[in-house]
Amino acid sequence: MTKPHILQVGPYPDWDQGPLDHEFHMHRLFDASDRAAFLASVGPQVRGIATRGELGANAAMIAACPNLEVISVYGVGYDAVDLTAARARGIRVTNTPDVLTKDVADLGVAMMLAQSRGMIRAEAWVRDGSWAEKGGYPLQRRVWGKRVGILGLGRIGHEVGKRLAGFDLEIAYSTASGPKDFAKQWEFIADPVALAARSDFLFVTLAASTATRHIVSAKVIEALGPDGMLINISRAANIDEEALLAALEDGRLGSAALDVFEGEPKLNPRFLSLPNVLLQPHHASGTFETRKAMGKLLRDNLSAHFAGQPLPTPVL
Ligand code: 8YV
């Protein structure tokens, strides 16, 4: 039987690439020097796209593949897939939910702790001899007992809340769909500005869409205030990054801990000179265990589609 032809948008680890090459005829778009020419030449054979959360599949890519049947995303976020174009042609879309939820929550909480307690700079203080030369590290901010807001109480937001309950934080949350039964023990505050105003820490754990673009607006940032911290483990588009940078620069926002950026991996250089941000390279799902599970689910979705079986984790 001929192997289905798959357009591969970005690289995967060897343990995924091997099985993908075995089962499918993979066309590596990311290796092409002229992507448009590559797409024009392989597009007509392509029946599937294998992509990653942050890379997605845009309208031009979808249009270049007239026989496309399925787009399999390595990642829970599918905001970078043009769903309108996919829906119009009846193209199935899958993602990798659940398997990464707890790792993403872990990193978010770790970022909050590390930033509050100044751990990154404190480590440098030990390494560069400042401890011996200048003495103890400057005092930092307490975490436990403070108030946290979770913007978006889906799978990841729920796991963040469960972890933070262990730090005796007062938890409130906001979701577009209203109060959640499983979160009765936490306060529901519909308005993001009001949520930010009562929070010391604001976690952004929303699935990104056109509706959530810049939901963390200048007003939300202002409400979080000079002692507040913003933690983003979702997508950069959920935050008005220009307003965030301005507020961090002039102290209207205390600090931020960010795993995602507009234009990543080339982030706005203004972030690099800010002392009050913790910067991470979009790796909240980046553990061996989770990435292996994500790769398996990406392949299982493709295999199920071409075997005519139900998709394990469909989006469309
Ligand atoms: C990336 C993510 O997909 O799950 C998501 O939506 O953004 C991440 O897990 C990951 O960096 C792999 O590219």
Side-chain angles (χ1 to χ4, degrees):
M1 210 180 77
T2 57
K3 296 177 182 181
H5 288 249
I6 307 286
L7 181 73
Q8 183 178 338
V9 182
Y12 295 117
D14 290 348
W15 57 73
D16 290 322
Q17 194 65 57
L20 281 170
D21 288 338
H22 180 73
E23 195 175 343
F24 305 105
H25 191 128
M26 303 300 291
H27 298 280
R28 293 162 169 74
L29 179 64
F30 55 98
D31 274 344
S33 50
D34 181 344
R35 290 188 175 209
F38 183 81
L39 269 180
S41 100
V42 305
Q45 306 168 73
V46 165
R47 294 175 63 198
I49 290 180
T51 188
R52 301 201 320 232
E54 72 278 28
L55 302 175
N58 60 26
M61 215 181 272
I62 293 171
C65 305
N67 297 307
L68 185 62
E69 297 165 29
V70 62
I71 300 171
S72 186
V73 180
Y74 176 84
V76 67
Y78 47 84
D79 50 301
V81 174
D82 192 322
L83 288 188
T84 311
R87 202 177 277 117
R89 287 186 29 211
I91 295 164
R92 307 296 311 270
V93 177
T94 65
N95 66 343
T96 61
D98 301 318
V99 294
L100 49 67
T101 304
K102 293 186 181 197
D103 276 352
V104 176
D106 281 354
L107 192 88
V109 172
M111 283 160 60
M112 178 194 79
L113 291 170
Q115 179 69 343
S116 275
R117 300 299 302 270
M119 289 177 69
I120 307 286
R121 282 161 187 268
E123 212 243 10
W125 187 263
V126 177
R127 284 186 188 271
D128 70 10
S130 296
W131 187 17
E133 211 178 288
K134 304 176 193 165
Y137 192 65
L139 300 183
Q140 301 294 309
R141 299 243 173 203
R142 170 186 283 179
V143 170
W144 71 267
K146 297 260 171 83
R147 294 162 310 165
V148 66
I150 303 174
L151 188 53
L153 201 72
R155 287 173 282 236
I156 294 170
H158 187 208
E159 288 298 325
V160 166
K162 278 164 57 184
R163 281 156 179 70
L164 295 183
F167 288 98
D168 297 332
L169 288 166
E170 279 177 46
I171 300 171
Y173 68 97
S174 166
T175 53
S177 54
K180 303 268 192 192
D181 277 349
F182 64 75
K184 284 205 176 81
Q185 68 284 22
W186 301 333
E187 189 184 354
F188 174 73
I189 301 177
D191 175 26
V193 177
L195 182 73
R198 61 69 78 194
S199 297
D200 300 298
F201 302 103
L202 183 66
F203 275 81
V204 188
T205 50
L206 285 163
S209 68
T210 44
T212 67
R213 185 175 162 73
H214 291 189
I215 188 167
V216 179
S217 59
K219 277 192 176 151
V220 170
I221 292 166
E222 202 81 33
L224 192 53
D227 293 325
M229 182 192 297
L230 183 72
I231 301 106
N232 191 9
I233 45 173
S234 61
R235 284 288 187 270
N238 283 333
I239 294 181
D240 180 340
E241 202 173 81
E242 190 50 45
L244 172 65
L245 277 162
L248 285 165
E249 282 165 350
D250 62 24
R252 279 175 295 118
L253 177 65
S255 62
L258 308 167
D259 188 43
V260 285
F261 304 87
E262 290 288 2
E264 62 184 52
K266 287 185 187 142
L267 58 161
N268 189 320
R270 283 161 68 197
F271 279 116
L272 304 178
S273 46
L274 282 169
N276 49 350
V277 289
L278 175 74
L279 308 172
Q280 294 289 294
H282 195 157
H283 73 142
S285 68
T287 65
F288 287 107
E289 296 89 340
T290 280
R291 289 286 167 86
K292 285 189 175 174
M294 287 165 63
K296 180 167 186 313
L297 198 44
L298 167 109
R299 294 195 303 280
D300 286 350
N301 275 296
L302 288 174
S303 306
H305 173 80
F306 291 110
Q309 287 165 4
L311 302 177
T313 46
V315 172
L316 277 188

